């Protein structure tokens, strides 16, 4: 097979942005300003969910349905731990404020 330089070599990027956060679902990379945020797959999936629904209050059940599809069902403690790690990852790149806000009694 010969390489044809006129054909695209990669699919176009699927970039989402939220404020100064850039989220590329094609390459699975996340940046806050110019700093890369290193996330594990579940943290990445949580962040994608939160970026896609920034004004929604998500219950534990909604998070489980969207992030843990087909996987074993996690405990609430497990979900809280992943969210805590997501917060730490953004604190490591000097993200101002909280990346995720808890709404007690709702989600």
């Amino acid at each position: 097979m010969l390489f044809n330089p006129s054909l695209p070599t990669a699919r176009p990027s699927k970039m989402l942005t939220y404020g100064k956060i850039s989220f590329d679902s094609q390459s699975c990379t996340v940046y806050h300003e110019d700093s890369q945020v290193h996330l594990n797959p579940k943290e990445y999936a949580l962040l994608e969910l939160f970026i896609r629904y920034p004004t929604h209050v998500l219950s534990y059940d909604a998070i489980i349905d969207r992030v843990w599809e087909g996987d074993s069902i996690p405990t609430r403690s497990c979900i809280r731990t992943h969210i805590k790690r997501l917060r730490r990852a953004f604190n490591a790149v000097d993200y101002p404020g909280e990346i995720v806000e808890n709404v007690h009694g709702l989600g």
Side-chain angles (χ1 to χ4, degrees), residues 23-85:
F23 179 95
D24 188 336
S25 61
Q26 175 82 28
S27 65
C28 296
T29 55
V30 177
Y31 286 87
H32 170 252
E33 296 180 334
D34 294 328
S35 300
Q36 185 171 2
V37 182
H38 300 282
L39 303 175
N40 71 35
K42 288 298 182 197
E43 295 160 5
Y44 182 86
L46 283 167
L47 180 62
E48 182 176 15
L49 176 64
F50 297 147
I51 286 177
R52 289 189 186 279
Y53 301 97
T55 61
H56 289 72
V57 176
L58 300 167
S59 68
Y60 283 106
D61 290 335
I63 291 170
I64 290 168
D65 289 344
R66 290 176 175 91
V67 176
W68 272 267
E69 295 177 30
D71 294 347
S72 60
I73 298 174
T75 63
R76 288 177 179 229
S77 176
C78 177
I79 296 170
R80 283 191 297 267
T81 297
H82 283 289
I83 292 172
K84 187 184 300 183
R85 289 179 183 162

